[in-house]
Amino acid sequence: MSVGKFIERLLQLIPVLLGVSIIVFVMMLFTPGDPVAIMLGDQHVTEELENALRHDMGLDLPPHQRFFKFLSNALTLDFGLSYYHRQPVWDVIASRLPATIELSLAALVFALVVSIPLGVLAAVHKNSLLDRIATVTSLFGVSLPGFWFGILLIIFFAVNMHWLPVAGRAGFESEVAPITHLLLVDSLLRGRIDAFWDALRHLILPTITLGLPMASILTRVTRASMLDVLNRDYITFAEAKGLSKTKILIKHALKNALIPTVTVAAIETGSLLGGNMVVETVFGWPGLGRLVVESIFVRNYPLIQAAVLFYAVTYVMLNFFADILYTMLNPRVKL
Amino acid sequence: MNDAVLRIRDLKTCFDTRDGMVTAVDGVSLSLGRGECLGVVGESGSGKSVTFASVMGLVKKPGFIAKGSINFEGRELVGLDPKNYRKLRGKEIAMTMQDAQTALNPAYTVSNQIIEVLLAHDETLSGSRKAQRRQARQQALEMLQLVGIPSAETRLDDYPHQFSGGMRQRVMIAIALACKPKLLIADEPTTALDVTIQAQVLELIADIRDKLGMSVILITHDLGVVAEYCDNVVVMYAGQVVENGPTGAVIATPQHPYTQGLLRSIPRLSDLSRRIEPIKGTVPELIDLPDQCRFMDRCTRAQASCRDLIAMQDCGAGRQVRCIAPGLAGGSDV
Ligand SMILES: Nc1ncnc2c1ncn2[C@@H]1O[C@H](COP(=O)(O)OP(=O)(O)OP(=O)(O)O)[C@@H](O)[C@H]1O
Ligand SMILES: [Mg+2]
């Protein structure tokens, strides 16, 4: 794909993102409750002070002006103040983001590493015991509620067996000076094997809980597309050429079979964001998902709005990325 | 024929399906001499592809070879171990498939798909992996030129979808011929192509056959193609050979009613006034067939003794037919 085409596709995102921000803005316009009253809580203040606050927050402007203000602020990552944290909203979000990114990446890697070999083996040995186990397990995997499964894992592996920590991201003793803010990476970069190990142990259960539904979906996608590909003429033709079994499987079948898997994975990464809220809450994971849940309980509207916008933009970008990936893997599709 | 490249004896290939045992190939015998072109004709479902999938060792589950012998250059192929079979496929016996559009892998360039056969089989390649690839690429280019791809150099790194149907067919032939096989099995090489391209592709195969001295099996629906390009012909019906012999003789004086029917059902440009007579009825289900003549239900000359087991019988001049009352309808005017 040429750079020009890539930029063209990138520019096409602008109307989508504009639409997303309009929706988020309208949502907050119709959210019940007066933001100023919520912000003030139980404090009693004079009417002038209240009006001044309202003016400060731009709430006295007509909607379209408020929207442009919202948009221009959003472009500079200015989402106002989170009074609950007494910090700018974006600073709060940014401080929680690395934990979420680390967990999501771990879940993505887990899902891919489990689902691709499993899906391929299930397809190659269709109707075998392994295939049946994979099919049933993946059915459970998509339908198990994350909070329930997470708690089950905690009870068994942490509470009963003491193999893994119950919650949190890392112990105090394994703090390392941040570089990338991803603990696994930073601890390695700083040469702290103990901290790496500690971070990894904390990561295991939330990763499995978060990644399981995705792993299940991807196993089914991989199995189905592999079955389809294995029946194609080009596989028979590859056999007729006298190529080895592994070559046929890895080179001729897998590359084609992975096109849907990779595309679905990129799209499903967006849904990891939603799963994060549940999993981070269950495992006390200090990420964005838990922050959003906390913010909902305390009605921290500015933060929720910013987070919703952030999720939406991320989702759009992931879909864009999935598109690009699909075209790169599939020479027949031209942008 | 002592100098046979391929000799199939009493081959029986079955599929163990949910509906019962499908006998797709039932007692097929045939033989192919060096440099010979053998045409295999028959309606859809008559077992042509399964016969030669058996030769390639590519009958897939639930199919299996129940009995018989396939002898290639003195080697028995039935029961040959997978490793040795792999060495044979693509190197000594090559196959092209009905539809080049689906037979070429869309994810790889044409050169890649030719090079991989060479890397798998060609022992003349030498040196490092990289050097071998370079030599193979040069050979790939020569193959594409041989099959008549215009400006082949610039097309080496194109993907299959960037070629037209006829060009794709040529690419597939180039892949099949890359290792200079002794036997080419061309499964309906022209069905997917329009008429002018059909002729070009067939000429190409005939041409390369002469150059490389290989034997060719041409599977087709088209008796016209057989008449033009094949030395001998085998007519298949419902998993059995019903007639075989030298092409000219079989077409001039077909012995089996099915062959006669096939010949009557093709239109002739030279005689448009003549009515085309399609054979009435359809090929029987291949499950639990009784040991009687399989064509009986569609035959205009069926009689009581057709219910007996009918064997192939010699009828002179290297011809054989599976019919108790052969030849009655007389010669055809094809
Ligand atoms: N995988 C399979 N499972 C069950 N039966 C099969 C299978 N493959 C082939 N057959 C049976 O074998 C018969 C012969 O098939 P084959 O493909 O050899 O026909 P063909 O003569 O090549 O026809 P066409 O001209 O359409 O290619 C089919 O009618 C079908 O009943
Ligand atoms: Mg066929």
Side-chain angles (χ1 to χ4, degrees), chain A residues 10 24 59 68 71 82-83 100 178 185 210 255 279:
Chain A
L10 211 55
V24 173
L59 294 175
F68 287 120
L71 199 62
S82 165
Y83 288 91
T100 292
V185 181
L210 183 59
K255 184 166 179 197
V279 174

Side-chain angles (χ1 to χ4, degrees), chain B residues 13-17 22-25 42-52 60-63 98 187-188 219-221 236 239 283-286:
Chain B
T13 304
C14 304
F15 290 89
D16 193 0
T17 67
V22 176
T23 307
V25 177
E43 262 165 296
S44 203
S46 56
K48 306 182 296 291
S49 294
V50 175
T51 302
F52 293 98
K60 291 192 186 146
K61 273 196 284 187
Q98 207 152 324
D187 194 348
E188 307 194 21
I219 302 175
T220 177
H221 288 126
M236 287 187 67
V283 187
E285 283 270 349
L286 298 176

Side-chain angles (χ1 to χ4, degrees), chain A residues 233 241 243 251-252 256, chain B residues 86 102 105 108 112 116 121:
Chain A
D233 278 357
K241 285 162 147 183
L243 304 181
K251 179 177 173 180
H252 285 274
N256 288 294
Chain B
R86 224 169 22 241
T102 56
N105 193 325
Y108 294 99
N112 185 318
E116 68 177 352
H121 296 298

Side-chain angles (χ1 to χ4, degrees), chain B residues 15-314:
Chain B
F15 290 89
D16 193 0
T17 67
R18 211 170 293 175
D19 306 325
M21 190 66 82
V22 176
T23 307
V25 177
D26 194 3
V28 165
S29 299
L30 57 84
S31 122
L32 173 75
R34 197 171 303 283
E36 177 186 334
C37 180
L38 176 69
V40 178
V41 290
E43 262 165 296
S44 203
S46 56
K48 306 182 296 291
S49 294
V50 175
T51 302
F52 293 98
S54 307
V55 172
M56 294 293 289
L58 292 178
V59 178
K60 291 192 186 146
K61 273 196 284 187
F64 61 97
I65 296 180
K67 69 172 194 196
S69 141
I70 300 169
N71 194 296
F72 174 73
E73 299 240 292
R75 265 171 295 176
E76 178 58 48
L77 298 189
V78 176
L80 186 68
D81 63 291
K83 196 160 161 255
N84 283 319
Y85 230 132
R86 224 169 22 241
K87 285 189 194 154
L88 212 65
R89 282 199 288 262
K91 181 160 196 279
E92 301 194 43
I93 311 178
M95 185 173 91
T96 62
M97 312 215 4
Q98 207 152 324
D99 188 357
Q101 165 122 36
T102 56
L104 298 175
N105 193 325
Y108 294 99
T109 61
V110 159
S111 62
N112 185 318
Q113 297 185 56
I114 307 182
I115 288 171
E116 68 177 352
V117 208
L118 292 164
L119 289 178
H121 296 298
D122 193 337
E123 279 131 21
T124 64
L125 299 176
S126 60
S128 66
R129 192 87 192 149
K130 220 172 148 196
Q132 291 194 10
R133 276 201 90 85
R134 207 175 42 242
Q135 294 162 41
R137 193 180 160 83
Q138 183 56 36
Q139 287 188 37
L141 176 62
E142 284 160 18
M143 283 319 296
L144 288 184
Q145 284 163 342
L146 179 69
V147 297
I149 306 266
S151 49
E153 260 134 318
T154 60
R155 311 235 48 190
L156 267 174
D157 295 315
D158 281 354
Y159 287 92
H161 72 270
Q162 293 166 295
F163 289 81
S164 68
M167 286 299 144
R168 268 197 293 261
Q169 204 78 18
R170 285 163 192 260
V171 168
M172 184 167 63
I173 292 171
I175 292 173
L177 299 182
C179 293
K180 316 269 185 295
K182 295 184 178 124
L183 169 61
L184 173 71
I185 299 170
D187 194 348
E188 307 194 21
T190 56
T191 313
L193 304 176
D194 63 65
V195 184
T196 48
I197 316 247
Q198 269 184 26
Q200 288 175 14
V201 168
L202 289 166
E203 286 298 338
L204 170 73
I205 292 176
D207 204 41
I208 296 173
R209 168 170 79 116
D210 293 341
K211 274 193 195 134
L212 303 181
M214 67 180 178
S215 314
V216 175
I217 285 169
L218 199 62
I219 302 175
T220 177
H221 288 126
D222 190 343
L223 274 167
V225 167
V226 171
E228 190 119 356
Y229 296 97
C230 299
D231 308 309
N232 292 300
V233 60
V234 166
V235 182
M236 287 187 67
Y237 184 79
Q240 295 179 327
V241 174
V242 293
E243 178 158 9
N244 67 34
T247 309
V250 171
I251 287 179
T253 56
Q255 296 295 307
H256 197 280
Y258 177 64
T259 317
Q260 292 162 2
L262 272 185
L263 282 163
R264 271 198 300 273
S265 65
I266 51 173
R268 304 294 309 173
L269 272 182
S270 55
D271 185 9
L272 287 173
S273 61
R274 199 191 61 160
R275 267 187 58 217
I276 301 168
E277 298 174 45
I279 306 173
K280 292 193 175 63
T282 52
V283 187
E285 283 270 349
L286 298 176
I287 300 176
D288 302 327
L289 279 180
D291 282 336
Q292 61 176 27
C293 173
R294 302 219 162 141
F295 189 61
M296 195 179 156
D297 295 338
R298 300 170 78 184
C299 185
T300 47
R301 310 199 313 254
Q303 42 186 280
S305 48
C306 293
R307 295 202 180 283
D308 299 332
L309 181 71
I310 316 279
M312 286 294 268
Q313 44 184 296
D314 284 320

